[in-house]
Amino acid sequence: MRAISFDTYGGTDVLRLTDDRPVPGIAPDEVLVRVRLAAVNPFDLKLRSGSMQKVIHPTFPLVPGSEMAGTVEQLGAEVSGIEVGDEVFGWATSGSYAEFAAARVVAKKPHALHWEAAASLPVAADAATRGLGLLHLVPHETLLIHGGAGVVGSLAVQLAVRADVTVIATCSSRDVDALRHLGAHPVLYGEGVFERVRELAPDGVDAVLDAAGAGVLPGSIELVGGTDRVVTLADPAAYALGVTFSSGSAKDQSAAVLDEVAALVVAGALVLPVARHFALADAAEAQDAVAAGGRRGKVLLDL
Ligand SMILES: NC(=O)c1ccc[n+]([C@@H]2O[C@H](COP(=O)([O-])OP(=O)(O)OC[C@H]3O[C@@H](n4cnc5c(N)ncnc54)[C@H](OP(=O)(O)O)[C@@H]3O)[C@@H](O)[C@H]2O)c1
């Protein structure tokens, strides 16, 4: 099959398009998906660069990519509730920058859910719901979200607003209007961010969700007066600071969460920023676009 793979850590130049990768075998509890769209995540860049080699030990050559949407091609012996030909979206266990991917956790794509939204949801929906869940928010509390205009951040903003939480979210000047539209109180990130947050919330902030990983944990701890209600999805400095770093694992992946979030998107209750598409062969350029930031929405590879 056609796939992107790499066999050494490095820059995006290590990514190679090949047409002779074996189609992945599936375990009894997995399905084989013919991938239609694969999403590019910041995690893929960290894995490729080698910055995670102390914690993750992959076997090379490695096909990157953890989420995708496509059509079920083959079923493992223990799979029930899904048929060959079903349109699904979820997590790839074998790498999603490929024509075919093995997957254990997938949800059926509602007919009305655009393919683009389906491929964009799994990682962000899981991270946003998990991060918010760990903060045990109650209505009328005030939450600060760092990186509120990102793919994860903007979902977290909308889910928190739906739960009657007052959301202050950091972003660049370009995303101020978009965040206001989602129901958040936008604050520019960068130097002086915590002073700006204090001005907006003179009575204080109850909790912080970091979906940016931009060195904001010490200021966040000071802001809420402790580490208990600060959660980061993105900053390993958390370990030294005593903050919860929710990195997520296969155990967290839930088709039920995907069903719930997809239903909200279909109902128009959750908005996903428009994605940017690249051909599979341009995976390096797609990863560069993620690294460059300054964009809203997911970066997707068209298979
Ligand atoms: N733990 C998990 O389960 C999990 C899951 C998914 C993602 N993540 C991590 O979460 C982070 C966000 O992922 P994503 O997919 O949402 O990426 P994304 O769409 O690129 O969003 C990142 C956002 O952070 C903003 N940002 C940049 N510098 C900032 C700063 N100094 N302060 C506040 N915000 C800043 C960016 O703004 P600009 O566009 O202006 O640069 C962008 O809106 C990544 O580090 C990713 O690895 C973790």
Side-chain angles (χ1 to χ4, degrees):
M1 65 173 184
R2 276 189 326 130
I4 296 292
S5 64
F6 62 103
D7 48 23
T8 179
Y9 294 123
T12 49
D13 56 331
V14 302
L15 299 174
R16 301 255 178 273
L17 176 67
T18 55
D19 58 8
D20 59 356
R21 292 289 310 154
V23 171
I26 52 171
D29 59 348
E30 291 184 330
V31 296
L32 183 70
V33 177
R34 179 183 286 273
V35 179
R36 181 165 172 150
L37 286 173
V40 178
N41 278 287
F43 173 82
D44 307 345
L45 284 60
K46 295 173 194 174
L47 189 62
R48 185 215 68 233
S49 70
S51 69
M52 309 204 49
Q53 58 185 299
K54 281 197 184 135
V55 275
I56 296 181
H57 312 286
T59 309
F60 291 118
L62 183 69
V63 177
S66 52
E67 64 182 332
M68 47 81 209
T71 307
V72 174
E73 190 83 8
Q74 194 188 326
L75 300 175
E78 293 169 6
V79 174
S80 59
I82 291 176
E83 307 292 338
V84 168
D86 280 351
E87 296 178 347
V88 295
F89 61 114
W91 287 269
T93 54
S94 62
S96 63
Y97 295 15
E99 268 180 288
F100 294 95
R104 186 165 295 116
V105 182
V106 292
K108 285 192 199 176
K109 184 182 86 61
H111 190 64
L113 185 70
H114 198 286
W115 280 104
E116 193 174 282
S120 303
L121 272 180
V123 168
D126 166 57
T129 51
R130 180 166 24 85
L132 291 173
L134 287 166
L135 289 168
H136 306 292
L137 294 154
V138 297
H140 312 303
E141 283 193 311
T142 300
L143 168 69
L144 169 64
I145 298 182
H146 294 286
V151 181
V152 175
S154 64
L155 265 187
V157 164
Q158 293 172 84
L159 291 169
V161 167
R162 283 182 62 78
D164 282 334
V165 167
T166 300
V167 179
I168 297 172
T170 68
C171 62
S172 71
S173 55
R174 190 205 39 180
D175 290 322
V176 162
D177 288 344
L179 271 182
R180 205 166 269 141
H181 189 69
L182 297 181
H185 302 279
V187 164
L188 296 184
Y189 62 62
E191 181 134 10
V193 62
F194 292 102
E195 285 71 29
R196 291 188 284 282
V197 170
R198 283 190 179 90
E199 265 170 41
L200 252 185
D203 294 335
V205 165
D206 298 296
V208 178
L209 179 64
D210 172 25
V216 291
L217 293 181
S220 299
I221 295 167
E222 208 184 318
L223 183 73
V224 296
T227 54
D228 284 1
R229 297 195 79 198
V230 178
V231 167
T232 180
L233 298 167
D235 193 346
Y239 298 117
L241 293 166
V243 165
T244 299
F245 181 177
S246 177
S247 56
S249 71
K251 280 193 211 131
D252 298 308
Q253 297 168 359
S254 154
V257 167
L258 297 190
D259 289 338
E260 242 171 73
V261 175
L264 290 172
V265 174
V266 169
L270 278 186
V271 184
L272 292 174
V274 177
R276 196 167 155 199
H277 290 248
F278 290 83
L280 181 67
D282 297 327
E285 209 185 311
Q287 287 201 349
D288 284 338
V290 171
R295 107 210 99 71
R296 298 183 61 239
K298 211 91 181 185
V299 168
L300 299 175
L301 298 174
D302 291 295
L303 273 299

